[in-house]
Amino acid sequence: MNRRTFHRAPEGERRQELIEATLDCIAEFGLKGATVRQIAIRAGVTAGLVRHYFDSKDQMVAEAYRAVIASLTEKAQNVEGDPATRLREFIAVNFTEPVADSRSVSLWAAFISQVRVDPVLAEIHREGYLAFRNTLQELLSEFLAAKGRPASEEECRRHAIAINGLVDGLWVEGCLAGDLFRDGELVSIAMASVEAVLGLPIKN
């Protein structure tokens, strides 16, 4: 296990470093294997300092999951350009690092196994899913309107659910067995699948 060198840091920065150390340990050892002691070692601090920032391991895990959800959605939510460009970029960014890599899927697998039994993690998951889906729904609404085929909120919602599902499936496959696919193949498949769902081309 790599240990970070201790340095003095502001409260917010130190808290973020501990969250990153928590994620490192969860990715390596799983949720149960990531102990407070291991997290402290990874962060280069004492276990006592960890407890200064977090009341319990459960709180650390919850904040770590919130950080994972944010990392998986932040890049996708910040795409720019015309409606077609934003929709394409929103899809493509899900298949590039750091959204799509072995660490991300390891963390996802560790957390998702607990979502159904931990109400706190379940709420974080729900918030993240809705934020991602709602962003996609808005992009779809703007794209369809720009194409001269405005759609109702319900239609865009249903499209967003379907596209989110296919992106998730391709993302998992790409993270777990990326060597089985040619460069850009998953993005190409995703784009074609979205076009099939919408019945419209999304490429220029």
Side-chain angles (χ1 to χ4, degrees), residues 35-105:
T35 64
V36 172
R37 179 176 178 275
Q38 287 172 329
I39 293 167
I41 292 172
R42 180 64 61 96
V45 301
T46 65
L49 186 61
V50 172
R51 296 188 182 93
H52 171 74
Y53 288 94
F54 297 97
D55 294 333
S56 64
K57 179 185 171 182
D58 286 345
Q59 185 188 20
M60 296 175 70
V61 168
E63 289 301 315
Y65 190 41
R66 200 181 301 279
V68 168
I69 293 295
S71 69
L72 295 177
T73 59
E74 183 178 4
K75 288 188 70 176
Q77 289 175 327
N78 291 331
V79 293
E80 299 179 348
D82 60 74
T85 299
R86 292 202 305 275
L87 181 57
R88 290 196 305 272
E89 289 299 312
F90 184 92
I91 295 164
V93 78
N94 288 281
F95 303 101
T96 58
E97 294 184 2
V99 178
D101 58 21
S102 58
R103 182 176 185 269
S104 291
V105 79

Side-chain angles (χ1 to χ4, degrees), residues 120-177:
V120 175
L121 296 184
E123 183 58 27
I124 293 171
H125 180 81
R126 175 185 173 86
E127 290 173 358
Y129 169 77
L130 288 175
F132 187 89
R133 197 190 75 191
N134 289 343
T135 299
L136 176 55
Q137 181 176 328
E138 183 178 347
L139 287 173
L140 289 168
S141 178
E142 293 173 359
F143 170 75
L144 292 171
K147 288 289 187 178
R149 203 191 79 185
S152 67
E153 181 178 347
E154 179 60 21
E155 183 179 356
C156 291
R157 175 181 174 274
R158 291 176 65 85
H159 284 327
I161 292 170
I163 292 169
N164 179 67
L166 73 87
V167 168
D168 274 357
L170 291 173
W171 175 80
V172 171
E173 292 299 325
C175 290
L176 290 177

